[in-house]
PDB file of all heavy atoms in Angstrom:
ATOM      1  N   PHE A   1       8.395  -0.197   0.919  1.00 98.00           N
ATOM      2  CA  PHE A   1       8.246  -0.433  -0.516  1.00 98.00           C
ATOM      3  C   PHE A   1       8.628  -1.880  -0.824  1.00 98.00           C
ATOM      4  O   PHE A   1       9.649  -2.401  -0.355  1.00 98.00           O
ATOM      5  CB  PHE A   1       9.170   0.529  -1.278  1.00 98.00           C
ATOM      6  CG  PHE A   1       9.192   0.303  -2.750  1.00 98.00           C
ATOM      7  CD1 PHE A   1       8.156   0.768  -3.561  1.00 98.00           C
ATOM      8  CD2 PHE A   1      10.245  -0.347  -3.372  1.00 98.00           C
ATOM      9  CE1 PHE A   1       8.157   0.578  -4.944  1.00 98.00           C
ATOM     10  CE2 PHE A   1      10.282  -0.552  -4.731  1.00 98.00           C
ATOM     11  CZ  PHE A   1       9.236  -0.094  -5.515  1.00 98.00           C
ATOM     12  N   ASN A   2       7.795  -2.553  -1.623  1.00 98.00           N
ATOM     13  CA  ASN A   2       8.039  -3.954  -2.018  1.00 98.00           C
ATOM     14  C   ASN A   2       8.078  -4.060  -3.547  1.00 98.00           C
ATOM     15  O   ASN A   2       7.186  -3.509  -4.225  1.00 98.00           O
ATOM     16  CB  ASN A   2       6.933  -4.861  -1.509  1.00 98.00           C
ATOM     17  CG  ASN A   2       6.845  -4.928   0.010  1.00 98.00           C
ATOM     18  OD1 ASN A   2       7.443  -5.802   0.628  1.00 98.00           O
ATOM     19  ND2 ASN A   2       6.091  -4.008   0.601  1.00 98.00           N
ATOM     20  N   VAL A   3       9.093  -4.743  -4.081  1.00 98.00           N
ATOM     21  CA  VAL A   3       9.165  -4.978  -5.504  1.00 98.00           C
ATOM     22  C   VAL A   3       9.600  -6.412  -5.759  1.00 98.00           C
ATOM     23  O   VAL A   3      10.501  -6.931  -5.095  1.00 98.00           O
ATOM     24  CB  VAL A   3      10.113  -3.976  -6.211  1.00 98.00           C
ATOM     25  CG1 VAL A   3      11.509  -4.078  -5.664  1.00 98.00           C
ATOM     26  CG2 VAL A   3      10.063  -4.158  -7.722  1.00 98.00           C
ATOM     27  N   PHE A   4       8.934  -7.087  -6.688  1.00 98.00           N
ATOM     28  CA  PHE A   4       9.269  -8.471  -7.033  1.00 98.00           C
ATOM     29  C   PHE A   4       9.330  -8.597  -8.546  1.00 98.00           C
ATOM     30  O   PHE A   4       8.532  -8.000  -9.280  1.00 98.00           O
ATOM     31  CB  PHE A   4       8.215  -9.438  -6.485  1.00 98.00           C
ATOM     32  CG  PHE A   4       7.987  -9.300  -5.004  1.00 98.00           C
ATOM     33  CD1 PHE A   4       6.765  -8.858  -4.515  1.00 98.00           C
ATOM     34  CD2 PHE A   4       8.992  -9.597  -4.090  1.00 98.00           C
ATOM     35  CE1 PHE A   4       6.552  -8.713  -3.154  1.00 98.00           C
ATOM     36  CE2 PHE A   4       8.790  -9.470  -2.745  1.00 98.00           C
ATOM     37  CZ  PHE A   4       7.558  -9.021  -2.265  1.00 98.00           C
ATOM     38  N   LYS A   5      10.283  -9.429  -9.013  1.00 97.00           N
ATOM     39  CA  LYS A   5      10.486  -9.633 -10.454  1.00 97.00           C
ATOM     40  C   LYS A   5      10.512 -11.131 -10.760  1.00 97.00           C
ATOM     41  O   LYS A   5      11.090 -11.907 -10.006  1.00 97.00           O
ATOM     42  CB  LYS A   5      11.764  -8.957 -10.927  1.00 97.00           C
ATOM     43  CG  LYS A   5      11.810  -7.475 -10.743  1.00 97.00           C
ATOM     44  CD  LYS A   5      13.134  -6.897 -11.242  1.00 97.00           C
ATOM     45  CE  LYS A   5      13.173  -5.390 -11.051  1.00 97.00           C
ATOM     46  NZ  LYS A   5      14.433  -4.794 -11.570  1.00 97.00           N
ATOM     47  N   LYS A   6       9.905 -11.464 -11.908  1.00 96.00           N
ATOM     48  CA  LYS A   6       9.922 -12.873 -12.315  1.00 96.00           C
ATOM     49  C   LYS A   6       9.598 -12.966 -13.812  1.00 96.00           C
ATOM     50  O   LYS A   6       8.560 -12.459 -14.246  1.00 96.00           O
ATOM     51  CB  LYS A   6       8.909 -13.686 -11.498  1.00 96.00           C
ATOM     52  CG  LYS A   6       8.954 -15.172 -11.760  1.00 96.00           C
ATOM     53  CD  LYS A   6       7.997 -15.928 -10.852  1.00 96.00           C
ATOM     54  CE  LYS A   6       8.106 -17.428 -11.075  1.00 96.00           C
ATOM     55  NZ  LYS A   6       7.152 -18.173 -10.193  1.00 96.00           N
ATOM     56  N   ASP A   7      10.480 -13.580 -14.566  1.00 95.00           N
ATOM     57  CA  ASP A   7      10.264 -13.893 -15.986  1.00 95.00           C
ATOM     58  C   ASP A   7       9.759 -12.687 -16.792  1.00 95.00           C
ATOM     59  O   ASP A   7       8.772 -12.780 -17.555  1.00 95.00           O
ATOM     60  CB  ASP A   7       9.272 -15.046 -16.143  1.00 95.00           C
ATOM     61  CG  ASP A   7       9.768 -16.349 -15.501  1.00 95.00           C
ATOM     62  OD1 ASP A   7      11.020 -16.454 -15.287  1.00 95.00           O
ATOM     63  OD2 ASP A   7       8.942 -17.202 -15.172  1.00 95.00           O
ATOM     64  N   GLY A   8      10.393 -11.533 -16.607  1.00 95.00           N
ATOM     65  CA  GLY A   8      10.029 -10.350 -17.387  1.00 95.00           C
ATOM     66  C   GLY A   8       8.837  -9.575 -16.849  1.00 95.00           C
ATOM     67  O   GLY A   8       8.414  -8.589 -17.482  1.00 95.00           O
ATOM     68  N   ILE A   9       8.348  -9.966 -15.707  1.00 97.00           N
ATOM     69  CA  ILE A   9       7.223  -9.261 -15.080  1.00 97.00           C
ATOM     70  C   ILE A   9       7.687  -8.646 -13.764  1.00 97.00           C
ATOM     71  O   ILE A   9       8.380  -9.316 -12.970  1.00 97.00           O
ATOM     72  CB  ILE A   9       6.030 -10.206 -14.799  1.00 97.00           C
ATOM     73  CG1 ILE A   9       5.668 -10.996 -16.052  1.00 97.00           C
ATOM     74  CG2 ILE A   9       4.860  -9.410 -14.259  1.00 97.00           C
ATOM     75  CD1 ILE A   9       5.150 -10.156 -17.185  1.00 97.00           C
ATOM     76  N   THR A  10       7.343  -7.397 -13.524  1.00 98.00           N
ATOM     77  CA  THR A  10       7.705  -6.708 -12.278  1.00 98.00           C
ATOM     78  C   THR A  10       6.441  -6.178 -11.610  1.00 98.00           C
ATOM     79  O   THR A  10       5.594  -5.546 -12.281  1.00 98.00           O
ATOM     80  CB  THR A  10       8.671  -5.549 -12.562  1.00 98.00           C
ATOM     81  OG1 THR A  10       9.824  -6.038 -13.226  1.00 98.00           O
ATOM     82  CG2 THR A  10       9.082  -4.871 -11.262  1.00 98.00           C
ATOM     83  N   VAL A  11       6.309  -6.428 -10.305  1.00 98.00           N
ATOM     84  CA  VAL A  11       5.244  -5.812  -9.526  1.00 98.00           C
ATOM     85  C   VAL A  11       5.903  -4.935  -8.459  1.00 98.00           C
ATOM     86  O   VAL A  11       6.823  -5.376  -7.766  1.00 98.00           O
ATOM     87  CB  VAL A  11       4.300  -6.862  -8.878  1.00 98.00           C
ATOM     88  CG1 VAL A  11       3.371  -7.462  -9.909  1.00 98.00           C
ATOM     89  CG2 VAL A  11       5.070  -7.939  -8.170  1.00 98.00           C
ATOM     90  N   ALA A  12       5.456  -3.724  -8.361  1.00 98.00           N
ATOM     91  CA  ALA A  12       6.014  -2.775  -7.393  1.00 98.00           C
ATOM     92  C   ALA A  12       4.904  -2.179  -6.539  1.00 98.00           C
ATOM     93  O   ALA A  12       3.968  -1.595  -7.062  1.00 98.00           O
ATOM     94  CB  ALA A  12       6.768  -1.656  -8.118  1.00 98.00           C
ATOM     95  N   PHE A  13       5.012  -2.389  -5.229  1.00 98.00           N
ATOM     96  CA  PHE A  13       3.996  -1.947  -4.278  1.00 98.00           C
ATOM     97  C   PHE A  13       4.561  -0.826  -3.407  1.00 98.00           C
ATOM     98  O   PHE A  13       5.461  -1.056  -2.601  1.00 98.00           O
ATOM     99  CB  PHE A  13       3.557  -3.107  -3.377  1.00 98.00           C
ATOM    100  CG  PHE A  13       3.031  -4.297  -4.127  1.00 98.00           C
ATOM    101  CD1 PHE A  13       3.841  -5.402  -4.381  1.00 98.00           C
ATOM    102  CD2 PHE A  13       1.720  -4.317  -4.585  1.00 98.00           C
ATOM    103  CE1 PHE A  13       3.367  -6.504  -5.078  1.00 98.00           C
ATOM    104  CE2 PHE A  13       1.236  -5.424  -5.280  1.00 98.00           C
ATOM    105  CZ  PHE A  13       2.061  -6.522  -5.536  1.00 98.00           C
ATOM    106  N   PRO A  14       4.075   0.392  -3.562  1.00 98.00           N
ATOM    107  CA  PRO A  14       4.539   1.488  -2.692  1.00 98.00           C
ATOM    108  C   PRO A  14       4.234   1.195  -1.221  1.00 98.00           C
ATOM    109  O   PRO A  14       3.428   0.331  -0.892  1.00 98.00           O
ATOM    110  CB  PRO A  14       3.729   2.693  -3.194  1.00 98.00           C
ATOM    111  CG  PRO A  14       3.286   2.325  -4.576  1.00 98.00           C
ATOM    112  CD  PRO A  14       3.091   0.850  -4.568  1.00 98.00           C
ATOM    113  N   LYS A  15       4.897   1.929  -0.361  1.00 98.00           N
ATOM    114  CA  LYS A  15       4.654   1.819   1.080  1.00 98.00           C
ATOM    115  C   LYS A  15       3.170   1.999   1.361  1.00 98.00           C
ATOM    116  O   LYS A  15       2.520   2.869   0.838  1.00 98.00           O
ATOM    117  CB  LYS A  15       5.474   2.865   1.821  1.00 98.00           C
ATOM    118  CG  LYS A  15       5.295   2.907   3.303  1.00 98.00           C
ATOM    119  CD  LYS A  15       6.158   4.000   3.936  1.00 98.00           C
ATOM    120  CE  LYS A  15       5.925   4.086   5.434  1.00 98.00           C
ATOM    121  NZ  LYS A  15       6.750   5.178   6.042  1.00 98.00           N
ATOM    122  N   ASN A  16       2.640   1.098   2.210  1.00 98.00           N
ATOM    123  CA  ASN A  16       1.231   1.130   2.626  1.00 98.00           C
ATOM    124  C   ASN A  16       0.238   0.909   1.487  1.00 98.00           C
ATOM    125  O   ASN A  16      -0.886   1.387   1.541  1.00 98.00           O
ATOM    126  CB  ASN A  16       0.905   2.443   3.349  1.00 98.00           C
ATOM    127  CG  ASN A  16       1.659   2.589   4.665  1.00 98.00           C
ATOM    128  OD1 ASN A  16       1.865   1.591   5.363  1.00 98.00           O
ATOM    129  ND2 ASN A  16       2.085   3.801   4.992  1.00 98.00           N
ATOM    130  N   THR A  17       0.680   0.151   0.466  1.00 98.00           N
ATOM    131  CA  THR A  17      -0.294  -0.286  -0.522  1.00 98.00           C
ATOM    132  C   THR A  17      -1.333  -1.191   0.131  1.00 98.00           C
ATOM    133  O   THR A  17      -2.512  -1.149  -0.185  1.00 98.00           O
ATOM    134  CB  THR A  17       0.399  -1.053  -1.660  1.00 98.00           C
ATOM    135  OG1 THR A  17       1.290  -0.171  -2.340  1.00 98.00           O
ATOM    136  CG2 THR A  17      -0.611  -1.611  -2.663  1.00 98.00           C
ATOM    137  N   PHE A  18      -0.849  -2.007   1.084  1.00 98.00           N
ATOM    138  CA  PHE A  18      -1.722  -2.906   1.826  1.00 98.00           C
ATOM    139  C   PHE A  18      -1.833  -2.447   3.288  1.00 98.00           C
ATOM    140  O   PHE A  18      -1.031  -1.647   3.739  1.00 98.00           O
ATOM    141  CB  PHE A  18      -1.224  -4.342   1.761  1.00 98.00           C
ATOM    142  CG  PHE A  18      -1.118  -4.910   0.366  1.00 98.00           C
ATOM    143  CD1 PHE A  18       0.084  -4.891  -0.328  1.00 98.00           C
ATOM    144  CD2 PHE A  18      -2.233  -5.432  -0.260  1.00 98.00           C
ATOM    145  CE1 PHE A  18       0.161  -5.412  -1.619  1.00 98.00           C
ATOM    146  CE2 PHE A  18      -2.175  -5.937  -1.540  1.00 98.00           C
ATOM    147  CZ  PHE A  18      -0.966  -5.937  -2.231  1.00 98.00           C
ATOM    148  N   TYR A  19      -2.809  -3.008   3.982  1.00 98.00           N
ATOM    149  CA  TYR A  19      -3.027  -2.631   5.378  1.00 98.00           C
ATOM    150  C   TYR A  19      -2.281  -3.521   6.340  1.00 98.00           C
ATOM    151  O   TYR A  19      -2.025  -3.157   7.491  1.00 98.00           O
ATOM    152  CB  TYR A  19      -4.522  -2.679   5.708  1.00 98.00           C
ATOM    153  CG  TYR A  19      -5.354  -1.718   4.893  1.00 98.00           C
ATOM    154  CD1 TYR A  19      -6.185  -2.170   3.867  1.00 98.00           C
ATOM    155  CD2 TYR A  19      -5.321  -0.352   5.146  1.00 98.00           C
ATOM    156  CE1 TYR A  19      -6.969  -1.301   3.109  1.00 98.00           C
ATOM    157  CE2 TYR A  19      -6.093   0.535   4.394  1.00 98.00           C
ATOM    158  CZ  TYR A  19      -6.915   0.060   3.399  1.00 98.00           C
ATOM    159  OH  TYR A  19      -7.666   0.932   2.658  1.00 98.00           O
ATOM    160  N   ASN A  20      -1.916  -4.734   5.878  1.00 97.00           N
ATOM    161  CA  ASN A  20      -1.267  -5.715   6.739  1.00 97.00           C
ATOM    162  C   ASN A  20      -0.183  -6.454   5.987  1.00 97.00           C
ATOM    163  O   ASN A  20      -0.175  -6.459   4.743  1.00 97.00           O
ATOM    164  CB  ASN A  20      -2.280  -6.734   7.292  1.00 97.00           C
ATOM    165  CG  ASN A  20      -3.376  -6.081   8.130  1.00 97.00           C
ATOM    166  OD1 ASN A  20      -3.099  -5.531   9.185  1.00 97.00           O
ATOM    167  ND2 ASN A  20      -4.620  -6.140   7.658  1.00 97.00           N
ATOM    168  N   ASP A  21       0.688  -7.116   6.725  1.00 97.00           N
ATOM    169  CA  ASP A  21       1.693  -7.989   6.122  1.00 97.00           C
ATOM    170  C   ASP A  21       1.026  -9.306   5.689  1.00 97.00           C
ATOM    171  O   ASP A  21       0.095  -9.798   6.347  1.00 97.00           O
ATOM    172  CB  ASP A  21       2.802  -8.325   7.110  1.00 97.00           C
ATOM    173  CG  ASP A  21       3.607  -7.090   7.537  1.00 97.00           C
ATOM    174  OD1 ASP A  21       3.371  -6.007   6.952  1.00 97.00           O
ATOM    175  OD2 ASP A  21       4.434  -7.219   8.451  1.00 97.00           O
ATOM    176  N   PHE A  22       1.534  -9.892   4.611  1.00 97.00           N
ATOM    177  CA  PHE A  22       1.033 -11.214   4.188  1.00 97.00           C
ATOM    178  C   PHE A  22       1.986 -11.782   3.113  1.00 97.00           C
ATOM    179  O   PHE A  22       2.872 -11.078   2.611  1.00 97.00           O
ATOM    180  CB  PHE A  22      -0.386 -11.149   3.649  1.00 97.00           C
ATOM    181  CG  PHE A  22      -0.532 -10.439   2.314  1.00 97.00           C
ATOM    182  CD1 PHE A  22      -0.686 -11.164   1.156  1.00 97.00           C
ATOM    183  CD2 PHE A  22      -0.516  -9.055   2.233  1.00 97.00           C
ATOM    184  CE1 PHE A  22      -0.809 -10.528  -0.077  1.00 97.00           C
ATOM    185  CE2 PHE A  22      -0.651  -8.383   1.025  1.00 97.00           C
ATOM    186  CZ  PHE A  22      -0.806  -9.139  -0.132  1.00 97.00           C
ATOM    187  N   TYR A  23       1.765 -13.024   2.750  1.00 98.00           N
ATOM    188  CA  TYR A  23       2.554 -13.656   1.690  1.00 98.00           C
ATOM    189  C   TYR A  23       1.808 -13.550   0.364  1.00 98.00           C
ATOM    190  O   TYR A  23       0.691 -13.993   0.227  1.00 98.00           O
ATOM    191  CB  TYR A  23       2.819 -15.132   2.034  1.00 98.00           C
ATOM    192  CG  TYR A  23       3.809 -15.326   3.152  1.00 98.00           C
ATOM    193  CD1 TYR A  23       3.367 -15.518   4.450  1.00 98.00           C
ATOM    194  CD2 TYR A  23       5.182 -15.311   2.920  1.00 98.00           C
ATOM    195  CE1 TYR A  23       4.261 -15.695   5.504  1.00 98.00           C
ATOM    196  CE2 TYR A  23       6.089 -15.474   3.953  1.00 98.00           C
ATOM    197  CZ  TYR A  23       5.618 -15.671   5.236  1.00 98.00           C
ATOM    198  OH  TYR A  23       6.534 -15.833   6.257  1.00 98.00           O
ATOM    199  N   LEU A  24       2.491 -12.928  -0.594  1.00 98.00           N
ATOM    200  CA  LEU A  24       1.895 -12.682  -1.915  1.00 98.00           C
ATOM    201  C   LEU A  24       2.051 -13.914  -2.805  1.00 98.00           C
ATOM    202  O   LEU A  24       3.130 -14.493  -2.883  1.00 98.00           O
ATOM    203  CB  LEU A  24       2.580 -11.482  -2.582  1.00 98.00           C
ATOM    204  CG  LEU A  24       2.054 -11.059  -3.952  1.00 98.00           C
ATOM    205  CD1 LEU A  24       0.750 -10.285  -3.804  1.00 98.00           C
ATOM    206  CD2 LEU A  24       3.107 -10.223  -4.683  1.00 98.00           C
ATOM    207  N   ASN A  25       0.990 -14.300  -3.482  1.00 97.00           N
ATOM    208  CA  ASN A  25       1.042 -15.342  -4.494  1.00 97.00           C
ATOM    209  C   ASN A  25       1.326 -14.673  -5.819  1.00 97.00           C
ATOM    210  O   ASN A  25       0.461 -14.010  -6.395  1.00 97.00           O
ATOM    211  CB  ASN A  25      -0.262 -16.110  -4.507  1.00 97.00           C
ATOM    212  CG  ASN A  25      -0.213 -17.327  -5.462  1.00 97.00           C
ATOM    213  OD1 ASN A  25       0.777 -17.512  -6.161  1.00 97.00           O
ATOM    214  ND2 ASN A  25      -1.281 -18.098  -5.477  1.00 97.00           N
ATOM    215  N   PHE A  26       2.575 -14.825  -6.319  1.00 98.00           N
ATOM    216  CA  PHE A  26       3.008 -14.168  -7.536  1.00 98.00           C
ATOM    217  C   PHE A  26       3.505 -15.243  -8.507  1.00 98.00           C
ATOM    218  O   PHE A  26       4.536 -15.872  -8.287  1.00 98.00           O
ATOM    219  CB  PHE A  26       4.090 -13.150  -7.201  1.00 98.00           C
ATOM    220  CG  PHE A  26       4.707 -12.441  -8.404  1.00 98.00           C
ATOM    221  CD1 PHE A  26       3.928 -11.974  -9.448  1.00 98.00           C
ATOM    222  CD2 PHE A  26       6.073 -12.236  -8.475  1.00 98.00           C
ATOM    223  CE1 PHE A  26       4.482 -11.330 -10.523  1.00 98.00           C
ATOM    224  CE2 PHE A  26       6.651 -11.566  -9.542  1.00 98.00           C
ATOM    225  CZ  PHE A  26       5.837 -11.128 -10.567  1.00 98.00           C
ATOM    226  N   GLU A  27       2.761 -15.457  -9.584  1.00 97.00           N
ATOM    227  CA  GLU A  27       3.109 -16.505 -10.569  1.00 97.00           C
ATOM    228  C   GLU A  27       3.092 -15.932 -11.971  1.00 97.00           C
ATOM    229  O   GLU A  27       2.255 -15.103 -12.304  1.00 97.00           O
ATOM    230  CB  GLU A  27       2.094 -17.662 -10.470  1.00 97.00           C
ATOM    231  CG  GLU A  27       2.002 -18.334  -9.108  1.00 97.00           C
ATOM    232  CD  GLU A  27       0.886 -19.351  -9.070  1.00 97.00           C
ATOM    233  OE1 GLU A  27       0.277 -19.640 -10.134  1.00 97.00           O
ATOM    234  OE2 GLU A  27       0.590 -19.879  -7.975  1.00 97.00           O
ATOM    235  N   VAL A  28       4.026 -16.426 -12.807  1.00 96.00           N
ATOM    236  CA  VAL A  28       4.044 -16.082 -14.211  1.00 96.00           C
ATOM    237  C   VAL A  28       3.906 -17.386 -14.987  1.00 96.00           C
ATOM    238  O   VAL A  28       4.718 -18.302 -14.852  1.00 96.00           O
ATOM    239  CB  VAL A  28       5.336 -15.346 -14.609  1.00 96.00           C
ATOM    240  CG1 VAL A  28       5.324 -15.057 -16.093  1.00 96.00           C
ATOM    241  CG2 VAL A  28       5.508 -14.082 -13.799  1.00 96.00           C
ATOM    242  N   GLN A  29       2.843 -17.462 -15.781  1.00 91.00           N
ATOM    243  CA  GLN A  29       2.572 -18.657 -16.540  1.00 91.00           C
ATOM    244  C   GLN A  29       2.887 -18.391 -18.009  1.00 91.00           C
ATOM    245  O   GLN A  29       3.418 -17.345 -18.386  1.00 91.00           O
ATOM    246  CB  GLN A  29       1.121 -19.078 -16.342  1.00 91.00           C
ATOM    247  CG  GLN A  29       0.767 -19.303 -14.871  1.00 91.00           C
ATOM    248  CD  GLN A  29      -0.706 -19.461 -14.618  1.00 91.00           C
ATOM    249  OE1 GLN A  29      -1.518 -19.542 -15.548  1.00 91.00           O
ATOM    250  NE2 GLN A  29      -1.101 -19.495 -13.328  1.00 91.00           N
ATOM    251  N   LYS A  30       2.587 -19.338 -18.878  1.00 83.00           N
ATOM    252  CA  LYS A  30       2.911 -19.197 -20.299  1.00 83.00           C
ATOM    253  C   LYS A  30       2.096 -18.063 -20.934  1.00 83.00           C
ATOM    254  O   LYS A  30       1.052 -17.657 -20.422  1.00 83.00           O
ATOM    255  CB  LYS A  30       2.644 -20.515 -21.032  1.00 83.00           C
ATOM    256  CG  LYS A  30       1.193 -20.950 -21.014  1.00 83.00           C
ATOM    257  CD  LYS A  30       1.027 -22.259 -21.795  1.00 83.00           C
ATOM    258  CE  LYS A  30      -0.443 -22.709 -21.786  1.00 83.00           C
ATOM    259  NZ  LYS A  30      -0.633 -23.958 -22.557  1.00 83.00           N
ATOM    260  N   ASP A  31       2.585 -17.580 -22.059  1.00 81.00           N
ATOM    261  CA  ASP A  31       1.922 -16.522 -22.835  1.00 81.00           C
ATOM    262  C   ASP A  31       1.725 -15.248 -22.018  1.00 81.00           C
ATOM    263  O   ASP A  31       0.678 -14.571 -22.148  1.00 81.00           O
ATOM    264  CB  ASP A  31       0.569 -17.015 -23.355  1.00 81.00           C
ATOM    265  CG  ASP A  31       0.701 -18.212 -24.299  1.00 81.00           C
ATOM    266  OD1 ASP A  31       1.715 -18.245 -25.027  1.00 81.00           O
ATOM    267  OD2 ASP A  31      -0.169 -19.075 -24.275  1.00 81.00           O
TER     268      ASP A  31
END
């Protein structure tokens, strides 16, 4: 299970959401 939080935004990925490991690009911009 993977969960990331930034500036009031949360993304939660259950186990095996993806097929492989990788680096997620997670950005929070204005508005």
Side-chain angles (χ1 to χ4, degrees):
F1 176 78
N2 296 267
V3 60
F4 306 114
K5 298 181 180 181
K6 186 176 183 180
D7 299 339
I9 308 295
T10 303
V11 285
F13 303 98
K15 178 180 177 181
N16 294 324
T17 296
F18 299 98
Y19 298 107
N20 299 295
D21 296 353
F22 71 102
Y23 288 96
L24 182 78
N25 186 355
F26 176 43
E27 301 174 7
V28 179
Q29 302 169 9
K30 62 179 181 179
D31 299 325

